Amino acid sequence: MSVSVNEKERIFKLDTPNTSYIIAIMDDPGYAGHVYYGKHISDEDVNYLLRTGESPFVPSGNKRDKISFMDCAPFEYPVHGCGDFREAALKIRTEDGYCTSELYYSGYSISGFTDAPVPGVFGDNGTVLTIELKDKITGLTVELKYIIFEDSDAIVRYSVIHSFTQTLYLERALSASFDMDNEDYELITLNGTWARERYIDRKPIAHGFQGVYSGRGETSHQHHPFMGIVSKDCSQSRGEAYGINLIYSGNFIASVYEGQFDNLRILTGINPEDFEWKLEPGESFATPQAVLVYSSEGLGGMSRSFHDLYREHLIRSPWKDKARPILINNWEATYFDFNEEKLLAIAGEAAKSGIEMLVMDDGWFGNRYDDNRALGDWTVNEEKIKGGLKKLVDGVNALGLKFGIWFEPEMISPDSELYRAHPDWAIAVPGREAALARNQYVLDMSRSDVRDHVFKSLSDILDSANIEYVKWDMNRPLADLASLKLPADRQKELSHRYVLGVYELQDRLIRRYPGLLLENCSGGGARFDPGMLCFSPQIWCSDDTDAIERLKIQEGTALVYPLSTMGAHVSDCPNHTVGRITPFETRGYVALAGTFGYELDITRIPEADRAMIPAQVKMYHMYHELVAAGDYYRLASYSENREYDSWMCIKKDKSEALLTYIQVLGRACVHSRRLKLQGLDPGKIYRIYRFDMESVSELPYGEDKAYHGDSLMNAGINMINLWGDHKGVLLHITELS
Ligand code: GLA
């Protein structure tokens, strides 16, 4: 890992273990150009790639056609207004209403990385390159920041924008941008809806705009702040893959534009729609951080770079590397229909099976008998929880289980004590009836008085009993944007201030309760993003708990995020969302690829299922470390082949691996299926065992023999036909010692 500077030629080169990123200052008049990003190269003086010597030449050589140059040069942080008609990373407006700026290089610095404010990466082995650009007319300064770590192939970028002499309005202030030639690349994005989050879409990049965004105030079920730009031949293990992911939990854009010379502009940052930021003289604005990853080893290499960065340099929770307690959540067990007796019955049965925590979901507070009321009234409903919360928690603890609780802190129901007392705390445009969603409004989290009240409500509950886990939910998007506390010229700051307010509150919560296990959630997975991972080591992946639907959701999620972050539970059948019936065993294998837990009424499920839980609990304890800390390799995708799914988690030293294989659909008259393993050490010798649920032990898989890693990877193994739909197998591959 290094940052090198060629002062004479004004070239800056970032080297991670396997990639290089090069920026050069174009001779005259000093624009910052993007030279190269890709596989590691040895030379830094490859600035011929900028093509400034080719027509239409730099403005000094061709002043009469400056616009022709501006409209095709590969900029590192393009600005709006001076002849580059592609999408800009920065657009300002002066008090006079002028929107043009032009950024010239004015200096650089290199320093050791000290943690930036959350959300963002952290670590003590990082280096920061800062390139400073200035607009001569407005005095505006932009610092382009690049963070690299010794142990990571990712580059983390953001910008800090300063206004020194006059008031400026930022109409767009993106986190990262770079231009490159289109070498027949394809675009991968993650899209969906409620209960169908992060399905993988892939299509060729064409001229014009393509990309994804959110304008919902949260990252959203619909799109995701991730883009993959991949070569046509890119597979899991081969080809080129660029990954771009934004550490942010609100409105974002991630776009790629192919221009007139077949060049690409790649951009990500806060969505400029519903955004503006007023900078008074002397003020600065820091954009969210964007993570860039390049892999010459296909999508698998890209995923592993993201996973490693997030595990080592993003997730701060003390729970990050610890086995998470196996929880049982009562949402799909009871919905709103529960009382302390039911919960204690569930906890009692759960304790017998080895489950370690009970989570009391929605419905325990105010007059919350359904989802139409009471959000904001965070006092225990003693009609349901007779004797109060402490008595219940003590009862659950006495059974040997930890206790967790659900909150939806950002919301307010029109039918609530809180709304009756503070109707002005709900986001709404004065004089207009604001739109409801799930019969609720959103609290104005940009206001510190609102945040203080919410924090007190939460901490009063957390202080009242031994609560060791919080599920923080957020069940509707933001609309009718207006804040009574902001002046007219700052109203468009609300969406971003809202996100900053949520971050501040979660930060306060985990500082006050450092041992607390926080799980974020948003109607399932609408806020599964790296911003939230700074505060919670796990996020509820989706409200769809069906094992087969989860294969697609978890595949898309794992493209970017470590398995240790994916909230995944075994639920009852027929599945409440899709009505599918799957074997209990398979539900366990799929949930094992995440945090693992249960979401069912253990007192009422079939006896055979209940009897399997102790074996599944043991299975989790046997393998969770491999799943949480291992390298992730995807062997097969059910979304693509429509028949089977398979992935591996491999210990960093390659001495051990766990392979999950799910036969989604059975077939008649077939041989076994050849499966080529990945990621093992070709020279190591391994044995393969199958986890046997009945005996809760490992039995030899197939012939009891030893295999070289290269045989397993190049020749593969035969996966026997499992006779039936929705069947699964777990293989433990261990080095022969
Ligand atoms: C959201 C969550 C669910 C559950 C409900 C409760 O939909 O994703 O897991 O907590 O809210 O209302």
Side-chain angles (χ1 to χ4, degrees):
M1 185 264 312
S2 68
V3 179
S4 40
V5 181
N6 178 330
E7 298 229 357
K8 188 164 158 277
E9 302 282 337
R10 297 192 298 182
I11 299 172
F12 304 87
K13 183 166 186 264
L14 301 159
D15 286 314
T16 69
N18 297 294
T19 74
S20 298
Y21 188 108
I22 304 177
I23 307 140
I25 307 307
M26 300 184 219
D27 275 0
D28 174 39
Y31 302 127
H34 181 77
V35 180
Y36 174 77
Y37 183 31
K39 192 167 181 165
H40 184 269
I41 58 173
S42 305
D43 297 319
E44 94 271 329
D45 57 343
V46 290
N47 45 345
Y48 55 84
L49 295 169
L50 290 172
R51 303 188 173 101
T52 52
E54 293 175 23
S55 165
F57 306 114
V58 288
S60 61
N62 185 16
K63 196 169 175 184
R64 58 164 239 143
D65 286 320
K66 175 177 170 184
I67 281 180
S68 306
F69 173 80
M70 299 305 282
D71 205 21
C72 69
F75 288 112
E76 182 66 8
Y77 198 69
V79 289
H80 173 88
C82 56
D84 181 349
F85 300 107
R86 296 162 289 177
E87 218 179 346
L90 180 71
K91 182 178 180 189
I92 59 154
R93 195 179 70 247
T94 64
E95 291 263 57
D96 296 325
Y98 306 140
C99 294
T100 294
S101 61
E102 205 165 352
L103 294 178
Y104 303 101
Y105 172 73
S106 57
Y108 80 94
S109 63
I110 296 170
S111 57
F113 173 64
T114 48
D115 302 354
V118 283
V121 289
F122 68 91
D124 54 13
N125 61 353
T127 302
V128 189
L129 166 68
T130 304
I131 295 181
E132 195 188 84
L133 309 172
K134 249 192 174 62
D135 179 37
K136 291 174 187 156
I137 306 299
T138 59
L140 164 90
T141 300
V142 178
E143 289 178 287
L144 302 181
K145 303 270 187 188
Y146 303 82
I147 306 165
I148 52 176
F149 295 102
E150 265 164 29
D151 55 350
S152 171
D153 257 329
I155 296 174
V156 180
R157 274 192 66 176
Y158 69 106
S159 316
V160 185
I161 301 154
H162 309 268
S163 180
F164 291 108
T165 52
Q166 56 178 287
T167 300
L168 292 175
Y169 297 86
L170 304 179
E171 291 194 7
R172 60 164 57 214
L174 302 190
S175 301
S177 163
F178 59 95
D179 292 357
M180 61 184 196
D181 288 8
N182 185 6
E183 296 171 51
D184 240 356
Y185 288 119
E186 297 187 336
L187 175 66
I188 294 180
T189 53
L190 302 174
N191 307 294
T193 181
W194 173 76
R196 226 175 341 107
E197 298 91 340
R198 293 175 295 286
Y199 276 23
I200 299 172
D201 276 344
R202 180 168 173 168
K203 61 180 181 195
I205 295 177
H207 287 92
F209 287 103
Q210 42 249 285
V212 282
Y213 68 92
S214 167
R216 295 164 190 264
E218 56 180 346
T219 33
S220 87
H221 297 99
Q222 288 72 14
H223 303 295
H224 199 71
F226 163 81
M227 258 187 319
I229 313 275
V230 303
S231 57
K232 238 187 176 135
D233 66 345
C234 181
S235 65
Q236 278 299 321
S237 52
R238 274 189 208 92
E240 289 195 291
Y242 294 88
I244 297 111
N245 193 206
L246 190 66
I247 305 181
Y248 192 56
S249 310
N251 296 337
F252 68 88
I253 53 165
S255 70
V256 48
Y257 172 75
E258 180 167 2
Q260 56 186 333
F261 300 107
D262 309 327
N263 45 1
L264 301 181
R265 171 156 295 169
I266 292 145
L267 291 148
T268 193
I270 296 175
N271 187 347
E273 188 75 37
D274 283 326
F275 170 82
E276 185 169 283
W277 200 269
K278 183 178 179 184
L279 276 187
E280 306 266 20
E283 285 183 350
S284 309
F285 179 83
T287 70
Q289 296 177 1
V291 180
L292 314 183
V293 158
Y294 169 82
S295 155
S296 59
E297 290 172 13
L299 287 169
M302 179 198 79
S303 300
R304 289 185 289 279
S305 286
F306 277 122
H307 294 188
D308 285 344
L309 182 84
Y310 292 166
R311 284 186 295 213
E312 299 309 319
H313 297 288
L314 186 76
I315 302 169
R316 291 168 162 74
S317 168
W319 281 99
K320 182 182 59 134
D321 298 320
K322 286 196 209 155
R324 316 286 159 78
I326 299 178
L327 66 83
I328 183 159
N329 177 304
N330 76 308
W331 178 241
E332 287 194 24
T334 65
Y335 296 102
F336 292 101
D337 181 19
F338 65 88
N339 56 24
E340 87 290 352
E341 264 176 43
K342 256 193 198 175
L343 293 177
L344 284 167
I346 290 176
E349 198 55 50
K352 283 191 224 156
S353 300
I355 293 173
E356 295 154 336
M357 178 159 74
L358 174 78
V359 174
M360 178 171 70
D361 210 278
D362 194 356
W364 57 267
F365 52 90
N367 68 339
R368 185 82 168 167
Y369 290 94
D370 59 29
D371 63 1
N372 284 307
R373 63 204 86 245
L375 291 169
D377 297 344
W378 301 112
T379 48
V380 178
N381 178 326
E382 295 215 13
E383 262 177 44
K384 286 190 184 186
I385 313 294
K386 291 194 188 66
L389 188 59
K390 181 160 176 9
K391 186 160 173 254
L392 171 67
V393 177
D394 288 348
V396 170
N397 287 169
L399 291 165
L401 264 64
K402 296 175 188 292
F403 186 88
I405 199 165
W406 178 97
F407 283 105
E408 197 176 355
E410 300 158 63
M411 296 295 150
I412 180 167
S413 305
D415 180 4
S416 66
E417 296 303 323
L418 186 65
Y419 189 76
R420 284 184 276 278
H422 297 287
D424 56 315
W425 284 8
I427 292 178
V429 178
R432 266 180 199 280
E433 192 183 337
L436 287 159
R438 211 190 191 202
N439 222 354
Q440 62 198 56
Y441 294 130
V442 185
L443 281 169
D444 183 351
M445 300 296 278
S446 74
R447 291 174 58 157
S448 60
D449 54 347
V450 173
R451 293 199 301 273
D452 287 347
H453 171 85
V454 170
F455 187 71
K456 182 160 184 329
S457 309
L458 261 58
S459 50
D460 282 351
I461 290 290
L462 296 181
D463 291 341
S464 73
N466 182 27
I467 299 172
E468 300 180 68
Y469 160 108
V470 165
K471 177 174 171 188
W472 178 307
D473 209 342
M474 194 269 192
N475 276 319
R476 63 153 286 179
L478 275 61
D480 300 287
L481 295 177
S483 172
L484 298 186
K485 283 274 167 148
L486 291 173
D489 62 355
R490 287 194 182 271
Q491 281 297 327
K492 288 183 87 177
E493 296 180 9
L494 175 58
S495 298
H496 184 52
R497 286 185 183 275
Y498 179 92
V499 177
L500 297 180
V502 172
Y503 288 152
E504 193 251 1
L505 205 46
Q506 293 209 352
D507 193 43
R508 240 204 274 182
L509 190 70
I510 54 177
R511 275 176 205 280
R512 165 87 175 260
Y513 305 97
L516 184 75
L517 174 55
L518 182 62
E519 174 155 357
N520 267 289
C521 171
S522 178
R527 216 162 50 181
F528 200 118
D529 61 60
M532 288 284 110
L533 285 180
C534 290
F535 306 96
S536 63
Q538 61 194 57
I539 302 176
W540 184 228
C541 206
S542 175
D543 276 347
D544 197 334
T545 53
D546 173 70
I548 303 306
E549 292 300 298
R550 273 295 183 117
L551 293 176
K552 289 183 261 178
I553 296 167
Q554 293 181 186
E555 181 189 358
T557 308
L559 192 64
V560 188
Y561 305 101
L563 307 193
S564 61
T565 64
M566 302 198 299
H569 298 166
V570 173
S571 64
D572 199 10
C573 278
N575 177 266
H576 294 194
T577 311
V578 293
R580 184 177 286 122
I581 295 177
T582 50
F584 200 75
E585 190 170 333
T586 305
R587 284 177 253 162
Y589 294 149
V590 176
L592 183 65
T595 54
F596 197 75
Y598 292 87
E599 181 123 359
L600 39 73
D601 187 345
I602 194 171
T603 65
R604 294 171 56 170
I605 56 171
E607 185 46 43
D609 292 355
R610 190 171 38 242
M612 203 183 285
I613 294 180
Q616 289 184 329
V617 165
K618 187 140 186 240
M619 169 185 83
Y620 167 80
H621 287 297
M622 283 164 79
Y623 303 123
H624 79 86
E625 216 176 300
L626 261 178
V627 173
D631 282 333
Y632 167 80
Y633 285 81
R634 177 149 286 273
L635 306 188
S637 160
Y638 157 61
S639 320
E640 283 170 19
N641 63 41
R642 315 304 302 165
E643 281 187 22
Y644 64 104
D645 212 55
S646 184
W647 63 92
M648 286 173 76
C649 298
I650 304 180
K651 201 168 171 177
K652 290 273 175 197
D653 67 5
K654 299 193 184 289
S655 62
E656 223 188 314
L658 186 72
L659 185 156
T660 311
Y661 175 82
I662 307 290
Q663 176 173 299
V664 179
L665 291 179
R667 251 181 162 195
C669 198
V670 280
H671 281 147
S672 54
R673 174 172 281 129
R674 185 70 46 85
L675 198 64
K676 291 182 180 170
L677 276 46
Q678 294 176 31
L680 298 171
D681 183 331
K684 280 192 165 58
I685 298 172
Y686 298 95
R687 272 188 188 280
I688 307 180
Y689 300 94
R690 178 174 67 82
F691 177 74
D692 180 57
M693 196 66 81
E694 245 169 69
S695 60
V696 200
S697 64
E698 295 187 338
L699 307 176
Y701 179 72
E703 255 180 81
D704 187 12
K705 74 185 266 330
Y707 309 80
H708 271 91
D710 58 4
S711 309
L712 295 174
M713 294 192 289
N714 298 326
I717 57 172
N718 294 332
M719 296 303 305
I720 44 158
N721 182 13
L722 296 172
W723 203 74
D725 294 343
H726 315 144
K727 295 290 179 67
V729 173
L730 210 57
L731 300 183
H732 190 202
I733 299 148
T734 56
E735 185 185 358
L736 204 64
S737 46

